[in-house]
Amino acid sequence: MTQSSLRSATAARPGARDVKKVPFVELYDGRLQGVVSSGSDIQRVYVSFFEAGTRDFSCSTNNNRPCGGLGGSYPCNHLRELLDEAIEQYGIARVAAFLGMPGDLGQYQQLHDILRALGTSTRADSGTIFSRFLGDLALLELPADSAPLHTAAWF
Ligand SMILES: [Zn+2]
């Protein structure tokens, strides 16, 4: 997904979490972490996180393979979508405070303000985060519409 299409998708649904694209996001144990659907393959998901404090980031498949879109110093689309959804869910002030963004937190008004002040990519095992996602899924009550069937398809 290009940056411009990401922006327009965000603008079209203000205040609404996109659970199909990012089925799981949480601020937990020093990480902003979650699970992001693959843009191209509905069977594949990415496990992504940002570390609080260092603001280093990681993205890999649920089979622990590194994300091909993660080149080093700039986060991939999955990480950007995860951050975008975290801002929708928690508000940017809480996200900026949780991540330990430098300087006056009031300067962080939108996604790109945070993207500009990140660390670098790091590798870490994604299994713990994915297990938490599965535990979260097990607690979900399925709403009447068909959207959660995508998540069920991963089993
Ligand atoms: Zn990625």
Side-chain angles (χ1 to χ4, degrees):
M1 182 181 275
T2 65
Q3 281 195 40
S4 58
S5 66
L6 181 62
R7 240 192 318 273
S8 62
T10 306
R13 307 180 59 176
R17 280 265 293 110
D18 189 341
V19 294
K20 199 165 133 191
K21 196 184 292 173
V22 183
F24 182 56
V25 58
E26 65 175 358
L27 306 177
Y28 179 79
D29 198 22
R31 287 174 174 176
L32 189 171
Q33 61 189 24
V35 171
V36 182
S37 301
S38 163
S40 53
D41 181 355
I42 201 168
Q43 300 292 337
R44 189 185 307 159
V45 295
Y46 289 88
V47 178
S48 311
F49 70 83
F50 297 88
E51 268 177 11
T54 64
R55 298 179 306 283
D56 287 346
F57 46 85
S58 171
C59 183
S60 56
T61 70
N62 52 308
N63 296 324
N64 235 356
R65 294 175 204 264
C67 171
L70 198 55
S73 61
Y74 204 73
C76 61
N77 284 343
H78 312 115
L79 281 159
R80 279 181 254 177
E81 287 170 10
L82 176 69
L83 190 56
D84 198 33
E85 289 299 307
I87 290 169
E88 290 288 354
Q89 180 156 320
Y90 298 103
I92 194 162
R94 188 167 165 200
V95 168
F98 180 84
L99 289 176
M101 302 306 293
D104 175 13
L105 293 182
Q107 72 186 287
Y108 300 101
Q109 296 292 325
Q110 53 177 317
L111 178 67
H112 285 266
D113 298 332
I114 290 181
L115 288 176
R116 273 195 293 270
L118 291 174
T120 57
S121 69
T122 181
R123 282 302 313 276
D125 182 65
S126 62
T128 311
I129 298 172
F130 196 65
S131 298
R132 288 185 55 78
F133 165 56
L134 296 181
D136 187 66
L137 268 189
L139 296 174
L140 278 181
E141 279 189 85
L142 296 181
D145 70 32
S146 62
L149 294 181
H150 288 298
T151 49
W154 295 330
F155 300 96

